[in-house]
Amino acid sequence: MRLSTRHLALPAATAAVLLGGSLPAAVPASGQTVSRATGQAATQAATQAATQAATQVVGSHCARQRRIDVPRAERQERACLDDLTTAGTTLTGHTNVNDWNGLHARGTRNPSGVPGIQVDGYFPDRSTTNTNNGWDHDSQFVVRLPDRWNGKLVVTGAPGVRAQYANDFIIADYVLARGYAFASTDKGNTGSRFYADGSRPGGSIREWHRRVTQLTRATKAVVAQRYGREPRRTYMVGISNGGYLTRWQLENRPGLYDGGVDWEGTLMRAAGPNLLTYLPDALEHYPAYAATGDQEAHDAMIRAGFARGSEFLWPFHHAYYWDLTQRIYREELDPSYDGQLDAGIPFCASGTPSCDADYDYASRPKAVKDAVRSVQLTGRIGKPMLTLHGSLDTLLPPRTDSHVYDRLVDRAGAGARHRYYRIGDGTHTDGLYDTYPDRLRPLLPCAREAFDVLTAWVERGVRPPRDGFYPRPAGGDLVNTCAL
């Protein structure tokens, strides 16, 4: 990969959470990749000392690299790198900035200087939406193995319909610097036509499940090849669709993991709510509200689940998220709705034939509900999990998502394994904080804090705080600090 150094305007960069890999690349601003990005007051020296105390160097730099053979991978390329974090990989071409643009706020501080092995590759697959590495092949993955290892592994899946490097800045840098091995998958399909892989309705999403499971098992074997033993702890962490996958894996494959962090995961329920039960309301009613301030249209938006106080975010989400998300996920789960059309008619007015603004999930055939049921969540998590969700999330409103999922977990009898933290004035992508610093707060520092809380719970029995709401602080460094 050879990446451009052009910077990207915020709306396009943030919209890339759905589109992924189709935009010019950008690199972090000068000074962006420095030591720690958590809400604690520890200095860089203290952080490094703590990390070194909990990790050990296994062999020399990139030791046993030739032994690494990812099980069942069709292609794999190994590289010995001086720095596995984005501070290094943006220079060597071992990441794709397009994958992670828009997911963090300007000024986010990240650790750097983590030497080790990176493995890029793909598993057998017939779809070709992922163009990373010039391969035009899906089911791509990245595995990173730091020289100084703490005996643990973090696995994640890409958010939205991005590709395998999407979590490099917001998740990989932080955990690699703490000694974790790291693995991420593109989930088996990417981009705004992720649904066009030839599978039956719901099949592209079902593939996400298989690809995360596949990569988790393979990476445990790779860890053993590199370090001489499998990880003693494995965690699943993800944002948006990656959060959905964290939920799904802990419900359905709990034996592979010790716990997880669910950052605003997508909710799928055959009986609702799901994306297709509330996004059509936004497409139908927002235009009238935007044109005239119509109170009935506004009230319909609130009834659909959007938060009061989020109105200033509606224009952006209408332009970049609601329409595209509704059409491509409806095409994945209910392709017969619009006949021969491919994901409907962009920004069609209500009343237009086959318009997604008029989509009524409740009246659709049983086969549609069966497709959603095949990917739905149950709340039956088998390992500890922390959920965090911003109160002003305007793509996945908490009222139609994590509020409901928290109740599902409780009804499934798994409430003792779960905590739900509502973050005041957080929204779906931290990139919007740069435009509204007086109205929003980034969730990334809270997600990192949640990861530390989770590992203390799993490994030392330190019980996490109860479910709760965390209002936006009046001052301080909101970009890099969060206390749970």
Side-chain angles (χ1 to χ4, degrees):
M1 292 174 292
R2 290 292 180 267
L3 303 180
S4 163
T5 57
R6 288 179 292 167
H7 286 268
L8 204 59
L10 171 66
T14 309
V17 72
L18 290 174
L19 295 174
S22 60
L23 302 172
V27 296
S30 177
Q32 200 165 333
T33 53
V34 296
S35 62
R36 198 177 169 199
T38 68
Q40 307 306 309
T43 63
Q44 179 181 6
T47 300
Q48 291 174 341
T51 299
Q52 290 175 357
T55 60
Q56 63 180 19
V57 177
V58 182
S60 60
H61 178 39
C62 297
R64 300 178 176 174
Q65 177 177 333
R66 292 186 178 181
R67 297 185 184 184
I68 293 174
D69 182 15
V70 180
R72 297 181 175 83
E74 183 175 326
R75 180 170 183 167
Q76 54 189 294
E77 296 182 358
R78 302 178 294 269
C80 178
L81 302 179
D82 291 334
D83 190 357
L84 294 171
T85 73
T86 53
T89 56
T90 54
L91 301 177
T92 63
H94 289 87
T95 188
N96 186 342
V97 184
N98 292 331
D99 283 4
W100 43 268
N101 259 327
L103 295 181
H104 63 275
R106 187 181 301 119
T108 300
R109 295 194 301 271
N110 268 21
S112 61
V114 182
I117 299 168
Q118 175 160 320
V119 187
D120 293 287
Y122 54 76
F123 295 109
D125 199 341
R126 291 175 295 179
S127 57
T128 59
T129 61
N130 188 346
T131 61
N132 274 336
N133 301 298
W135 289 338
D136 296 321
H137 198 288
D138 288 346
S139 298
Q140 291 193 41
F141 60 81
V142 58
V143 176
R144 296 190 175 102
L145 306 164
D147 289 347
R148 185 175 289 275
W149 184 49
N150 68 2
K152 307 169 196 176
L153 167 65
V154 169
V155 179
T156 188
V161 288
R162 292 192 181 210
Q164 71 270 28
Y165 303 113
N167 291 305
D168 281 6
F169 190 94
I170 60 173
I171 298 175
D173 285 359
Y174 184 74
V175 300
L176 285 166
R178 288 170 167 253
Y180 291 84
F182 172 82
S184 179
T185 171
D186 68 2
K187 310 192 303 290
N189 44 72
T190 69
S192 59
R193 300 191 74 250
F194 79 99
Y195 52 83
D197 65 352
S199 63
R200 297 175 63 83
S204 298
I205 297 176
R206 291 191 295 273
E207 184 179 8
W208 300 354
H209 308 155
R210 298 194 305 273
R211 295 306 182 182
V212 172
T213 300
Q214 179 182 44
L215 181 61
T216 301
R217 289 173 172 156
T219 304
K220 289 188 177 190
V222 168
V223 164
Q225 294 165 4
R226 167 61 181 91
Y227 302 112
R229 60 185 173 88
E230 288 198 350
R232 67 176 185 270
R233 298 288 185 185
T234 300
Y235 297 101
M236 179 78 188
V237 181
I239 173 176
S240 192
N241 281 341
Y244 160 78
L245 287 167
T246 300
R247 296 172 176 179
W248 193 94
Q249 291 289 318
L250 295 190
E251 288 180 5
N252 295 277
R253 303 289 184 269
L256 291 176
Y257 308 94
D258 294 282
V261 174
D262 155 33
W263 177 356
E264 64 194 25
T266 311
L267 181 65
M268 288 291 184
R269 293 287 294 171
N274 59 59
L275 294 168
L276 307 184
T277 63
Y278 68 88
L279 286 177
D281 289 322
L283 299 181
E284 177 183 3
H285 298 293
Y286 173 74
Y289 172 71
T292 66
D294 182 85
Q295 187 63 43
E296 290 186 7
H298 174 272
D299 292 347
M301 294 283 291
I302 301 302
R303 287 195 300 273
F306 298 98
R308 294 185 186 277
S310 69
E311 290 87 348
F312 70 99
L313 295 170
W314 293 0
F316 177 86
H317 284 77
H318 179 257
Y320 290 100
Y321 284 133
W322 294 337
D323 179 78
L324 178 63
T325 304
Q326 164 63 25
R327 289 187 296 103
I328 65 177
Y329 285 89
R330 194 267 308 144
E331 189 71 18
E332 161 67 3
L333 295 162
D334 188 4
S336 66
Y337 172 73
D338 57 359
Q340 297 302 308
L341 294 175
D342 186 8
I345 306 168
F347 297 102
C348 54
S350 178
T352 304
S354 300
C355 182
D356 276 275
D358 296 322
Y359 184 80
D360 178 22
Y361 176 80
S363 68
R364 298 300 295 157
K366 178 179 179 295
V368 176
K369 279 78 169 183
D370 289 343
V372 177
R373 186 172 292 106
S374 74
V375 299
Q376 77 173 355
L377 298 168
T378 65
R380 293 191 291 269
I381 56 173
K383 291 293 173 64
M385 186 175 75
L386 272 57
T387 294
L388 66 155
H389 209 131
S391 66
L392 296 184
D393 192 323
T394 311
L395 178 60
L396 304 177
R399 283 172 50 202
T400 65
D401 193 291
S402 291
H403 287 14
V404 180
Y405 188 71
D406 185 53
R407 294 194 295 269
L408 285 175
V409 173
D410 289 342
R411 287 202 295 268
R417 299 189 187 103
H418 186 236
R419 297 291 188 274
Y420 175 31
Y421 303 133
R422 293 158 287 146
I423 310 300
D425 296 341
T427 194
H428 198 69
T429 52
D430 283 0
L432 282 169
Y433 173 80
D434 299 337
T435 303
Y436 302 107
D438 56 336
R439 296 189 182 189
L440 297 175
R441 70 173 299 181
L443 268 70
L444 176 55
C446 300
R448 289 172 169 173
E449 177 75 0
F451 181 75
D452 291 345
V453 170
L454 172 73
T455 58
W457 187 13
V458 171
E459 298 172 20
R460 303 197 305 276
V462 179
R463 299 193 67 79
R466 296 179 179 178
D467 295 4
F469 176 79
Y470 292 83
R472 182 179 187 269
D477 182 5
L478 300 185
V479 173
N480 294 292
T481 62
C482 179
L484 296 179

